[in-house]
Amino acid sequence: MTAPAAKSPVLETTLDNGLTVLIQEVHTAPVAAFMVWYKVGSRNESAGITGISHLLEHMMFKGTPTYGKGEISRLLQKNGATFNAGTSLDYTTYFEVLASDRLEMAMKIEADRMVHATIPDDEHRLEMTVVRSELERNEDNPHRALYLEAMAQAFKAHPYHWPTIGWRTDVEQIRTSQIRDYYASHYMPNNATVVVVGDVNTQAALAMVKRYFGAVPKGTEPPPVTTVEPPQMGERRFKIRKPGDTRYLLAAWRNPAVTHPDTYALDVLGIILGHGQTSRLYQALVEKKLAAEVDASNDNGRDPLLFNAQATAAPGVGLDRLEAALLDEVERLKSEPVTAKELERAKKQVEASFIYSKDSIRSLAQQLGYYNTVASWRYLDTYVERVRAVTTADLQRVARTYLTENSRTVGWYDPTPEGQADAGDGAPAEAAGAATPSRWVDHYRPGDAADALPGLPASVSEAMPDERAMNAAAPGAAAAAPAGVMHGAAPDRTVLPNGLTLIVRNNPANPTISLQGLVKAGGIYDPPERSGLAGFTAAMLDQGTAKRTALQTAETIEGAGAHLSFDGGSETVSISATMLSADLPTVLDVLADALQHPAFPADKMEKIRAERITDYQVAENSTASVAARRANGLLYPKGHPYHVNPMGTDTTLRAITREDLAAFHRSHYGPNNTILVLVGDVDTKRAVELVRAAFGGWAKLEPAPPFEVPKAQAPATTLELRVPMKGKSQTDVVYAVPGIPRTAPDYDAAMVMNYILGGGSLSSRLMNSLRDEQGLVYGVYSSFAAGIGAGPLSIRAGTNPANADRAVASILEQVRRMAEQGPTDAEMEDAKDYLTGVFPVRLETNAGVASQLVAAEVYGLGLDYIERYTSIVRGVTREAAAAAARAYLRPASGYALVVAGSVAAPGSAVGP
């Protein structure tokens, strides 16, 4: 007798107008995710209007008769929502994650702009400056440049040929009337899926959807995409030449559509080939010092797409040698069956990822919407089962079928010396060292504060909402989710006899655990001539111990479907792990071994050295990174820990010896320098027992180095630097002044002030002025790097070189206004509404709660900080925020200003 199928937790309903509605109740936090997915992306475009899907997405924020320009963003932020929109090959989506009692507001907004977007002509002209800036941001990222050119080469007939953002000449010539027609042809209920996931009642949520979307009229079905890409008859190759120091390789093979039965085996093959340290490419390329980074994945689409493998060359390694080694591993998949151990490890990772995704309502909603748009949400119901059925014979068969020379496209990013390229050759990198480029294009993307001082403990997140792109390409891949509300038991704090601090918060909602922690062993302790030493030491922790090799460490963690990483930053070494609750003893054993007994093997040391030098070279080719680093070099004097980036330089990294690493570890790694936080399916008693067993024998540091950073004086005058960078068509601007430590009494006032100035994503003074009113930038953001020391208060913007001076002038004007006048009462109320409203959303995952508890411990905020947060923010007065603006912004006195990229005048070198 066959067992009855388990009832799906998802309710699917189709309204009379054709709208598909998917609802899933998840009551782990009082938070809901609301998404609208339209079956329209660059796949639906044609020559001459490429990029129109993305351009329309931008225009959807320009208002309706009900919501004027900017009101949608302001209303959502005032209500504490994290929100964004994105366009990809096969879809455009809009989402809000917010307190569940505010779900109706999100529905009203999305139902209204499904049919009533105004798309004004004057706003289209203004937004074109923003879109051009976004185009320029995309053009010089080596990973993205390789991926987009590979798509253009691999697809000659199908619309996957063009980039989602479109060809520049098409985008610049699209008329407003064409955008309106495209909107009317594709934005309709029968071409959309609405997804509701979270702390809702299914029937009440469905009634709400019917109330707001039920009256939207059904539209004429959009024209189908009928073009089928003809078979590829031979290898295609291309080369990209731009200024730089780092070489990149991409090989791509044509694959089947997501619904094809071979997709499951190809997904597993991508994990085995290029996911994690146990993967074939990592062992063959990175371990043998041919590559600094590798990756492989089966990139699925509604139509056949690409299986990708890529690598970043190690210093001095030619692309011909790198390509030969990569293709050898691909050929080996065809000639030698993968081992049973490799197959089992890959399956475990897939299964674990599905369980992890349940930690986040946003991730669950994302999966439902994505798969219902490209196939069916029920694809997820059988995905793990179909992966479990994959055999070694299946893997060998799909490798032989799809990874052939005739279906292969190979791209080289082979940089030229700077002097060989014209200044207008390219555009700036969007994010130095980005991993696999996403096909998603955000409506906006906040800048990365970590470029200024990476590795500070999470303390500025309250002032910097992060609505980055979701990546729905792989089943079970959890998005970087916002965090949620404290449910269940209060956190417990235990200090072991040797000084290690353990905080545990039980949340049995899902059989997973998030571990977050830190060691007070960051770059503030680096000798100037050995900058990068702390980060180098941290990077060696998983490269072998007295009892495990690096491979054995990776096999243990990846075999459990877990994740464990160390990130050396400016003040601390961050520890992050995710595991199934049953695997906590295993992960703690590996973590304790890595922290206490790193062996610093010579061969692994040279591998890590090469990787970190490559990272430095990549950062030095990014206008955003260069501007932030040079600003710190101006702002902080030589000898100050913040003068140089904790990554170090190629020169200092080459000077570091094994004894330097071992001595740094002896001096700075100890239990009384370590904080561990466990949040998830574990109780305090069991956690304490396991941590005591793993770490109880770790000897205390006597004495522990003082955890402090000297105060830096603000510059007495303006320090300005212009850094010319060849081949960049965008310029990055950084304005910086010394900020405040997280422990400063006026931190909360400064945090609220900063949010109003430029921390508020789409709705802030800087964004309203520079993007919405003047169209000068794609994004402009301000942030505090507030740690134990006073990291910089930075304002960062990317702009076209022709607009750089206007952007600088506008930044200085907004800084002056804030310093002289402070925020208004209305701005204060809106800021408090957002910061208190979004906080529960940030605590929606175990990792979100854990990161807040780490920050509370390291800064002495108290275990009840999460509960007190709302009253703290509500207690900030306008006068206190205005005083913070006067104290820190300093527009009339000293500040650092750096302009990097295509600039008019050369600047002298400052800092490494």
Side-chain angles (χ1 to χ4, degrees):
M1 181 176 179
T2 303
K7 183 180 179 181
S8 172
V10 179
L11 173 70
E12 178 180 11
T13 305
T14 303
L15 304 190
D16 292 341
N17 58 12
L19 179 70
T20 300
V21 183
L22 304 176
I23 302 174
Q24 181 174 352
E25 293 187 32
V26 180
H27 299 288
T28 55
V31 173
F34 183 76
M35 299 184 176
V36 181
W37 294 74
Y38 294 96
K39 294 180 180 180
V40 58
S42 54
R43 172 182 181 273
N44 301 88
E45 298 165 357
S46 58
I49 59 166
T50 65
I52 195 170
S53 302
H54 171 249
L55 187 53
L56 170 58
E57 175 222 309
H58 274 247
M59 296 304 297
M60 292 291 284
F61 283 83
K62 298 303 179 181
T64 69
T66 303
Y67 303 101
K69 178 183 177 180
E71 287 185 24
I72 291 175
S73 298
R74 284 192 289 271
L75 182 60
L76 287 170
Q77 288 192 198
K78 178 179 174 61
N79 280 274
T82 63
F83 63 97
N84 205 340
T87 307
S88 189
L89 304 176
D90 300 316
Y91 61 84
T92 305
T93 185
Y94 302 82
F95 75 86
E96 293 84 22
V97 183
L98 69 177
S100 52
D101 63 358
R102 303 176 189 187
L103 175 62
E104 186 172 8
M105 177 193 62
M107 287 197 191
K108 289 173 67 174
I109 289 171
E110 296 301 349
D112 187 51
R113 64 177 172 180
M114 179 179 276
V115 284
H116 296 135
T118 52
I119 313 179
D121 185 63
D122 57 340
E123 291 297 330
H124 172 207
R125 291 195 299 272
L126 182 64
E127 195 68 13
M128 276 307 304
T129 307
V130 175
V131 174
R132 287 189 190 97
S133 178
E134 193 173 0
L135 281 160
E136 291 159 359
R137 288 169 62 89
N138 285 332
E139 289 169 359
D140 199 48
N141 181 316
H143 294 282
R144 188 173 296 275
L146 273 174
Y147 184 83
L148 295 181
E149 185 60 30
M151 293 285 284
Q153 296 292 335
F155 297 97
K156 298 300 184 182
H158 192 278
Y160 285 167
H161 169 78
W162 42 72
T164 298
I165 201 168
W167 302 126
R168 178 184 290 267
T169 52
D170 286 354
V171 176
E172 290 181 337
Q173 296 181 63
I174 291 173
R175 300 184 304 276
T176 307
S177 60
Q178 291 176 297
I179 301 174
R180 292 173 182 154
D181 291 342
Y182 195 78
Y183 169 64
S185 300
H186 293 88
Y187 279 52
M188 61 189 71
N190 46 309
N191 197 43
T193 298
V194 159
V195 182
V196 184
V197 175
D199 188 30
V200 300
N201 174 276
T202 297
Q203 292 306 318
L206 178 59
M208 197 181 295
V209 172
K210 289 179 177 178
R211 186 183 318 145
Y212 291 106
F213 288 87
V216 177
K218 184 176 184 177
T220 303
E221 290 292 332
V225 176
T226 58
T227 302
V228 176
E229 184 69 23
Q232 187 170 326
M233 305 305 292
E235 182 186 68
R236 298 169 184 173
R237 304 184 70 87
F238 65 91
K239 184 181 292 186
I240 296 174
R241 303 298 300 275
K242 288 186 177 182
D245 300 306
T246 308
R247 300 178 178 88
Y248 303 87
L249 168 70
L250 172 65
W253 293 262
R254 297 263 293 276
N255 68 4
V258 65
T259 53
H260 193 283
D262 285 345
T263 292
Y264 307 97
L266 285 166
D267 285 352
V268 173
L269 200 68
I271 293 172
I272 292 171
L273 182 63
H275 183 77
Q277 294 186 30
T278 59
S279 68
R280 295 282 185 94
L281 290 180
Y282 190 94
Q283 291 299 313
L285 275 61
V286 179
E287 288 291 355
K288 293 182 180 178
K289 306 179 187 65
L290 299 177
E293 292 179 343
V294 293
D295 182 68
S297 62
N298 186 41
D299 207 357
N300 301 133
R302 185 170 178 176
D303 297 326
L305 201 53
L306 297 175
F307 182 102
N308 298 300
Q310 55 188 326
T312 302
V317 175
L319 286 170
D320 51 353
R321 184 182 173 195
L322 185 63
E323 180 186 334
L326 185 149
L327 295 181
D328 281 348
E329 287 304 309
V330 173
E331 291 304 310
R332 194 158 70 89
L333 290 171
K334 305 176 189 178
S335 60
E336 303 174 16
V338 303
T339 66
K341 186 177 180 180
E342 286 178 301
L343 178 57
E344 184 59 31
R345 184 166 56 234
K347 290 180 179 180
K348 182 62 182 278
Q349 290 177 47
V350 169
E351 292 184 39
S353 73
F354 262 79
I355 298 172
Y356 297 146
S357 71
K358 295 177 183 179
D359 283 342
S360 164
I361 60 150
R362 174 168 156 181
S363 178
L364 287 173
Q366 169 192 326
Q367 290 180 353
L368 290 172
Y370 171 75
Y371 282 101
N372 205 60
T373 302
V374 300
S376 166
W377 68 270
R378 294 188 179 277
Y379 180 86
L380 295 167
D381 284 347
T382 60
Y383 184 80
V384 172
E385 176 186 336
R386 299 292 294 270
V387 166
R388 285 181 184 144
V390 171
T391 66
T392 56
D394 291 331
L395 296 178
Q396 192 170 39
R397 175 183 58 80
V398 296
R400 290 172 174 173
T401 301
Y402 297 101
L403 307 187
T404 66
E405 181 180 355
N406 278 351
S407 73
R408 186 169 71 211
T409 298
V410 179
W412 287 16
Y413 191 100
D414 194 15
T416 62
E418 281 203 2
Q420 294 183 16
D422 295 330
D425 281 353
E430 176 181 305
T436 307
S438 172
R439 305 189 309 276
W440 168 289
V441 182
D442 266 354
H443 178 60
Y444 70 96
R445 185 191 306 268
D448 189 352
D451 245 335
L453 286 172
L456 290 176
S459 61
V460 297
S461 61
E462 298 148 4
M464 287 188 65
D466 187 354
E467 286 72 56
R468 295 184 179 180
M470 301 182 298
N471 182 6
V485 129
M486 289 283 281
H487 273 319
D492 294 314
R493 181 178 184 271
T494 303
V495 179
L496 301 189
N498 60 7
L500 185 144
T501 300
L502 172 67
I503 297 172
V504 181
R505 186 253 168 178
N506 178 249
N507 175 17
N510 200 27
T512 63
I513 298 172
S514 175
L515 184 155
Q516 302 287 321
L518 59 82
V519 182
K520 298 172 182 177
I524 58 176
Y525 301 109
D526 285 345
E529 72 281 3
R530 294 289 191 274
S531 65
L533 174 59
F536 200 153
T537 305
M540 290 295 296
L541 294 176
D542 61 358
Q543 295 300 301
T545 68
K547 71 175 184 179
R548 288 185 179 92
T549 65
L551 180 57
Q552 288 170 334
T553 296
E555 286 177 338
T556 302
I557 294 297
E558 294 176 17
H563 163 81
L564 173 64
S565 65
F566 305 94
D567 182 18
S570 181
E571 294 182 355
T572 66
V573 173
S574 299
I575 305 166
S576 178
T578 304
M579 70 215 76
L580 302 178
S581 51
D583 295 316
L584 177 59
T586 298
V587 174
L588 286 178
D589 182 58
V590 172
L591 174 61
D593 190 30
L595 289 176
Q596 296 176 63
H597 309 297
F600 303 112
D603 59 334
K604 297 297 185 283
M605 181 179 170
E606 294 312 311
K607 174 179 76 76
I608 295 297
R609 190 197 310 274
E611 292 174 15
R612 296 187 73 78
I613 289 174
T614 299
D615 289 343
Y616 168 76
Q617 292 173 341
V618 169
E620 285 295 288
N621 194 44
S622 160
T623 55
S625 292
V626 167
R629 289 160 188 252
R630 300 305 186 271
N632 282 358
L634 288 173
L635 201 59
Y636 297 96
K638 286 186 177 181
H640 191 280
Y642 295 163
H643 176 74
V644 297
N645 189 279
M647 180 184 290
T649 71
D650 51 357
T651 302
T652 61
L653 289 167
R654 289 189 176 97
I656 293 171
T657 66
R658 183 184 181 281
E659 178 52 33
D660 291 331
L661 299 175
F664 187 90
H665 181 268
R666 287 193 300 269
S667 300
H668 298 281
Y669 280 74
N672 47 327
N673 250 10
T674 302
I675 298 166
L676 297 180
V677 176
L678 296 173
V679 177
D681 186 28
V682 61
D683 60 60
T684 299
K685 181 180 177 182
R686 173 172 165 75
V688 172
E689 290 173 353
L690 291 172
V691 170
R692 182 176 286 120
F695 293 92
W698 195 6
K700 181 184 294 189
L701 287 174
E702 297 287 4
F707 189 47
E708 59 190 24
V709 176
K711 184 177 180 180
Q713 297 298 318
T717 59
T718 300
L719 304 174
E720 183 171 350
L721 177 67
R722 293 182 177 253
V723 185
M725 298 176 68
K726 291 284 188 179
K728 309 297 181 184
S729 60
Q730 182 174 276
T731 295
D732 269 89
V733 174
V734 170
Y735 162 98
V737 291
I740 56 175
R742 179 60 182 86
T743 53
D746 56 350
Y747 169 81
D748 299 300
M751 181 265 292
V752 174
M753 178 275 295
N754 174 73
Y755 171 81
I756 295 167
L757 176 63
S761 58
L762 279 182
S763 184
S764 69
R765 285 192 180 185
L766 287 167
M767 191 69 98
N768 291 342
S769 174
L770 274 74
R771 174 168 167 153
D772 291 348
E773 295 174 8
Q774 301 179 72
L776 296 176
V777 299
Y778 174 60
V780 55
Y781 312 96
S782 64
S783 62
F784 280 107
I788 287 296
L793 186 162
S794 302
I795 297 173
R796 309 172 310 285
T799 186
N800 184 279
N803 294 328
D805 289 340
R806 287 177 60 202
V808 168
S810 295
I811 289 171
L812 294 177
E813 171 61 17
Q814 292 305 317
V815 167
R816 182 193 64 77
R817 285 186 56 221
M818 180 63 81
E820 291 180 357
Q821 302 169 16
T824 66
D825 289 333
E827 286 175 323
M828 288 294 295
E829 285 308 304
D830 285 350
K832 291 178 184 182
D833 286 344
Y834 174 78
L835 293 169
T836 57
V838 79
F839 197 61
V841 177
R842 290 221 182 89
L843 300 173
E844 180 247 335
T845 62
N846 289 333
V849 174
S851 66
Q852 290 290 341
L853 291 174
V854 170
E857 175 65 25
V858 76
Y859 300 125
L861 305 178
L863 289 185
D864 62 345
Y865 174 72
I866 291 175
E867 284 71 28
R868 293 187 293 110
Y869 176 83
T870 295
S871 61
I872 291 171
V873 173
R874 289 291 180 192
V876 175
T877 65
R878 192 195 76 80
E879 291 73 21
R886 290 192 299 272
Y888 301 115
L889 292 179
R890 302 177 58 84
S893 53
Y895 56 86
L897 180 68
V898 178
V899 181
S902 180
V903 299
S908 57
V910 174

